Amino acid sequence: MVTTNASVSDTSTNFPKVKKLWSDVDITNFGPYYEALQARLIDRIWNDESLKQEILTNPKAVFERETEVTFPADTEVRVLEEPENTFYFVLPATPPVEEHWYRYEQFSSWWPIIDTFWYFYYRLGGSTKARAYRECLQALWIVRSWTNETFRQQLLTNPRSIFEGEMGIPFPADLKIQSLEETSNLVYFILPKNPQFEKLDSNSTVGEWWKASHGLWWWYTSLRFRQPAKDTVTGVVG
């Protein structure tokens, strides 16, 4: 896990610092604060090629400078940019059993994002597509992988079969889907594509839209997931 730093440097006046007080409440220990830091960072990366190259070549230093976290010395941080026809699916290391309930709550932020896409497709009259989004609570796949080794191996070796089988929607035939397994000392961050250059239009498949939304969601959520578990952890998932 990672720890927080006292301050974060601001290398660009065009991207204001993330506020630490919301309605006079200190929110630096809340998940959305880290998501706001990640949103600011990816916004800068999309608009600053030098920063993008820096985080690809020296990710640990950039994250520690920009997002108020310090990774353990023995942790390797890898940042990858997806090739045009590749989708990287990151499978986190299984947390200790006593943390399952707490981590499950962190992943639940995926649900409101799914609701947004469900509403979008339903409004366009695509009830069939909408149902596919309604069923694809991907967060549950990660949680299931903590207690079901067979399922975890399927996610690692043949993720397409899980995605298409469980969601009931197709992904582009020419899209390579690759799972990346994290360990206790190896973590991955996948750079989400700039929405201005994402090739999504009215003819895109639901799978393409899901891939795009997943990439941005995981970029936001993964930093929250890497914070130390709170002392109030109770319950076990599985």
Side-chain angles (χ1 to χ4, degrees), residues 49-74:
E49 183 63 27
S50 62
L51 180 61
K52 176 181 174 181
Q53 294 306 316
E54 184 184 8
I55 199 170
L56 287 171
T57 57
N58 195 11
K60 207 169 186 178
V62 174
F63 276 111
E64 292 186 345
R65 186 183 73 218
E66 302 293 340
T67 62
E68 297 194 7
V69 301
T70 300
F71 293 93
D74 61 349

Side-chain angles (χ1 to χ4, degrees), residues 1-3 60 64 70-78 182-188:
M1 293 298 172
V2 298
T3 57
K60 207 169 186 178
E64 292 186 345
T70 300
F71 293 93
D74 61 349
T75 296
E76 179 183 359
V77 181
R78 296 181 187 175
E182 296 187 335
T183 67
S184 59
N185 56 7
L186 170 64
V187 296
Y188 289 97

Side-chain angles (χ1 to χ4, degrees), residues 105-117:
E105 189 279 331
Q106 291 178 306
F107 278 131
S108 67
S109 62
W110 178 237
W111 295 341
I113 296 178
I114 285 296
D115 291 340
T116 301
F117 279 86

